[in-house]
Amino acid sequence: DGEAFRWVSSGEYIQMSGRAGRRGLDDKGIVILMVDEKMEPDVAKNMVKGESDPLNSSFHLGYNMLLNLLRFEGGDPEYLIRRSFFQFQQDKQRPVFKEKIVELEAERAELIIEDEPLIAEYHQLVSQHAQLQESLRQELVRRPKVIVPFLQPGRLLRCLDPTGNDWGWGVLTTFRK
């Protein structure tokens, strides 16, 4: 493997032996496995009779693929996703995920939380506090009468747009009333 000597894994052996024969010319290929005394019987058995490596899709529908697909008339990204190996694997895993959800919901139902009413009340108070802070910011801080005295060049400001997007920190360079 580039770092140390090791025995070939069962997945690697299946990959190599699957290439025996000449493509298009031979109906079958022959694999000769030369084993010496150094190899333990369990290692040889695992290599020959072991399972192949799992094959996981790395499909990712990116912007470039999407734009190239939309260039052609009749290109349907949803069809491409539905017919992908990745979606096949996800659909195959769905029953396992549903079973896991049922198990976790049953586990959650069995949980006993001490002082649950107090914790619920605390959560409600924290939520009210956050709402009050936001309403104060809306009512007081954004009023020109309150904010103008603080708008001095060099002031560090948090930049938010009216929709709530956070643009990060900025430095005020100039300000005119």
Coordinates of all heavy atoms in Angstrom, one line a residue, residues 9-12 14-15 50-58 85 88-89 92-93:
S9 N -6.4 -7.4 0.6 CA -7.8 -7.6 1.2 C -8.7 -8.3 0.2 O -8.4 -8.5 -1.0 CB -8.4 -6.2 1.5 OG -8.8 -5.5 0.4
S10 N -9.8 -8.8 0.8 CA -10.7 -9.6 -0.1 C -11.3 -8.7 -1.2 O -11.5 -9.1 -2.3 CB -11.9 -10.1 0.7 OG -12.6 -9.1 1.4
G11 N -11.6 -7.4 -0.9 CA -12.1 -6.5 -2.0 C -11.0 -6.3 -3.1 O -11.4 -6.2 -4.2
E12 N -9.8 -6.1 -2.7 CA -8.7 -6.0 -3.7 C -8.5 -7.2 -4.5 O -8.3 -7.2 -5.7 CB -7.4 -5.6 -3.0 CG -7.4 -4.2 -2.3 CD -6.3 -4.0 -1.4 OE1 -5.7 -5.0 -0.8 OE2 -6.0 -2.8 -1.1
I14 N -10.9 -9.5 -5.2 CA -12.0 -9.6 -6.1 C -11.8 -8.7 -7.2 O -12.1 -9.0 -8.4 CB -13.3 -9.3 -5.3 CG1 -13.6 -10.4 -4.3 CG2 -14.5 -9.1 -6.2 CD1 -14.7 -10.1 -3.3
Q15 N -11.3 -7.5 -7.0 CA -11.1 -6.5 -8.0 C -10.1 -7.0 -9.1 O -10.3 -6.9 -10.3 CB -10.6 -5.2 -7.4 CG -10.4 -4.1 -8.4 CD -11.7 -3.5 -8.9 OE1 -12.8 -3.7 -8.3 NE2 -11.7 -2.8 -10.1
G50 N -13.9 -13.7 1.2 CA -14.4 -12.5 1.9 C -15.3 -11.7 1.0 O -15.6 -12.0 -0.1
E51 N -15.9 -10.6 1.6 CA -16.8 -9.8 0.9 C -16.0 -8.7 0.2 O -14.9 -8.3 0.6 CB -17.8 -9.1 1.9 CG -18.7 -10.1 2.5 CD -19.7 -9.5 3.4 OE1 -19.9 -8.2 3.3 OE2 -20.4 -10.2 4.1
S52 N -16.7 -8.2 -0.9 CA -16.1 -7.1 -1.6 C -16.2 -5.8 -0.8 O -17.0 -5.7 0.1 CB -16.7 -6.9 -3.0 OG -18.1 -6.6 -2.9
D53 N -15.5 -4.8 -1.2 CA -15.6 -3.5 -0.5 C -16.9 -2.8 -0.9 O -17.4 -3.0 -2.0 CB -14.4 -2.6 -1.0 CG -13.0 -3.1 -0.5 OD1 -13.0 -3.8 0.5 OD2 -12.1 -2.8 -1.3
P54 N -17.5 -2.1 0.1 CA -18.8 -1.5 -0.2 C -18.6 -0.4 -1.3 O -17.6 0.3 -1.3 CB -19.2 -0.9 1.1 CG -18.0 -0.8 1.9 CD -17.1 -1.8 1.4
L55 N -19.6 -0.3 -2.2 CA -19.5 0.7 -3.2 C -20.5 1.8 -2.9 O -21.7 1.6 -2.8 CB -19.9 0.1 -4.6 CG -19.9 1.0 -5.8 CD1 -18.5 1.6 -6.0 CD2 -20.4 0.3 -7.0
N56 N -20.0 3.0 -2.5 CA -20.9 4.1 -2.1 C -20.8 5.2 -3.2 O -19.7 5.6 -3.6 CB -20.5 4.7 -0.8 CG -20.7 3.7 0.3 OD1 -21.7 3.0 0.4 ND2 -19.7 3.6 1.2
S57 N -22.0 5.7 -3.6 CA -22.0 6.8 -4.6 C -21.5 8.1 -4.0 O -21.8 8.4 -2.9 CB -23.5 7.0 -5.1 OG -23.5 8.1 -5.9
S58 N -20.8 8.8 -4.9 CA -20.3 10.1 -4.5 C -20.9 11.2 -5.4 O -20.4 12.3 -5.6 CB -18.8 10.2 -4.5 OG -18.3 9.9 -5.9
F85 N -27.5 6.4 -9.0 CA -27.1 5.3 -8.0 C -27.2 5.8 -6.6 O -27.6 5.1 -5.7 CB -25.7 4.8 -8.4 CG -25.2 3.7 -7.5 CD1 -25.9 2.5 -7.5 CD2 -24.1 3.8 -6.7 CE1 -25.5 1.5 -6.7 CE2 -23.6 2.8 -6.0 CZ -24.3 1.6 -5.9
F88 N -30.7 5.5 -5.5 CA -31.0 4.1 -5.3 C -30.6 3.7 -4.0 O -31.3 3.0 -3.2 CB -30.4 3.3 -6.4 CG -30.4 1.8 -6.2 CD1 -31.5 1.1 -6.4 CD2 -29.2 1.2 -5.7 CE1 -31.5 -0.3 -6.1 CE2 -29.2 -0.2 -5.5 CZ -30.4 -0.9 -5.6
Q89 N -29.3 4.1 -3.6 CA -28.8 3.7 -2.3 C -29.6 4.3 -1.1 O -29.9 3.7 -0.1 CB -27.3 4.1 -2.1 CG -26.4 3.2 -3.0 CD -25.0 3.6 -2.8 OE1 -24.6 4.8 -2.8 NE2 -24.1 2.7 -2.7
K92 N -32.9 2.5 -0.8 CA -32.6 1.2 -0.2 C -32.4 1.3 1.3 O -32.8 0.4 2.1 CB -31.4 0.5 -0.8 CG -31.2 -0.9 -0.5 CD -30.1 -1.5 -1.3 CE -29.8 -3.0 -0.9 NZ -28.7 -3.5 -1.6
Q93 N -31.8 2.4 1.8 CA -31.6 2.6 3.2 C -32.8 3.1 3.9 O -32.8 3.2 5.2 CB -30.4 3.7 3.4 CG -29.1 3.1 3.0 CD -28.6 2.2 4.1 OE1 -28.9 2.3 5.2 NE2 -27.8 1.2 3.7

